[in-house]
Amino acid sequence: MKNRFVQNALWAMVDKFVVLFGSLIAYVLVSKYLGPEKFGVFAFGVTISTLGVTISQWGANHVVFNLAVKNTRVASKVMFSSEATRLRIYVAFWGVSSLVLYFYLGKGDDFLILSLLIASHVFVALDVYQFYLEGSLNAKINARSNMLARALSTLLRVAMVFLSLKSIWFVFPYLINNLVIFFRRRCYVKKSHSHI
């Protein structure tokens, strides 16, 4: 058990390092290409999304983690049964925030980028599986999911800069990153508890 705990801690550290290092490379390149104004729009969108994620998860990180430490079966039941509720809350948040942004920004590129960027974070709002994996000492799955998603989204960003695409296209790496991480984690948990 002690050995598994140490391995889990090491995988958690690798996960954080890969995410930070991958983000640094991607964001330096993208920020230089987009310029401070457009890059600021993306940063603002991610910040708004974080609020929506926090509201939709509403403490699930602590609940799921604590349940996973004690009983993985109960934790997985809680996660799957509350998924539709988290989805409805985030979609409502996206709708309200898009209306507010439309009121202040009007119809234009910045509004469209922000609205799509907030929508792309729906998978982050649904992803409480990461806390289950941490609590059940399976941080390796988190790390591998993050590495794959980060590699794909970074390559996509580099390709977009190389192809000189418009700023709106830079929403897609966020969507790909969030989608890959969510589905890899969810599939792992679903397979571990296929009877649920």
Side-chain angles (χ1 to χ4, degrees), residues 30-65:
V30 172
S31 64
K32 188 175 180 182
Y33 174 74
L34 292 178
E37 186 179 329
K38 281 296 180 194
F39 190 73
V41 170
F42 279 88
F44 183 55
V46 171
T47 303
I48 295 171
S49 302
T50 304
L51 177 61
V53 169
T54 304
I55 292 169
S56 61
Q57 289 186 352
W58 204 255
N61 54 345
H62 299 295
V63 173
V64 170
F65 180 86

Side-chain angles (χ1 to χ4, degrees), residues 4 7-16 18-19 79 127-150 177-193:
R4 193 170 172 208
Q7 284 180 341
N8 193 65
L10 289 173
W11 274 109
M13 285 188 280
V14 167
D15 178 26
K16 298 303 176 202
V18 167
V19 168
M79 289 185 302
D127 184 18
V128 294
Y129 302 103
Q130 59 181 311
F131 311 117
Y132 168 92
L133 293 167
E134 292 289 339
S136 62
L137 301 180
N138 285 301
K140 175 169 61 174
I141 308 303
N142 278 341
R144 287 180 175 172
S145 300
N146 281 334
M147 284 186 239
L148 174 63
R150 189 64 63 182
N177 183 75
N178 300 339
L179 187 119
V180 168
I181 290 172
F182 170 72
F183 278 108
R184 274 186 56 94
R185 289 172 177 166
R186 189 180 192 277
C187 288
Y188 176 84
V189 174
K190 192 94 170 170
K191 193 182 290 185
S192 300
H193 298 280

Side-chain angles (χ1 to χ4, degrees), residues 141-162:
I141 308 303
N142 278 341
R144 287 180 175 172
S145 300
N146 281 334
M147 284 186 239
L148 174 63
R150 189 64 63 182
L152 288 172
S153 61
T154 300
L155 288 172
L156 194 54
R157 285 182 176 103
V158 170
M160 288 175 173
V161 169
F162 181 75

Side-chain angles (χ1 to χ4, degrees), residues 67-139:
L67 284 173
V69 168
K70 296 173 187 173
N71 188 330
T72 57
R73 192 173 299 170
V74 173
S76 60
K77 282 183 180 176
V78 168
M79 289 185 302
F80 287 115
S81 65
S82 63
E83 194 171 78
T85 303
R86 289 193 306 277
L87 176 62
R88 284 192 291 268
I89 291 170
Y90 193 83
V91 168
F93 172 82
W94 169 70
V96 170
S97 59
S98 292
L99 281 172
V100 171
L101 288 167
Y102 183 78
F103 177 76
Y104 282 103
L105 299 175
K107 198 182 342 182
D109 280 353
D110 287 352
F111 163 73
L112 194 55
I113 288 169
L114 288 169
S115 183
L116 290 174
L117 194 58
I118 295 166
S120 75
H121 280 73
V122 67
F123 297 107
V124 180
L126 294 174
D127 184 18
V128 294
Y129 302 103
Q130 59 181 311
F131 311 117
Y132 168 92
L133 293 167
E134 292 289 339
S136 62
L137 301 180
N138 285 301

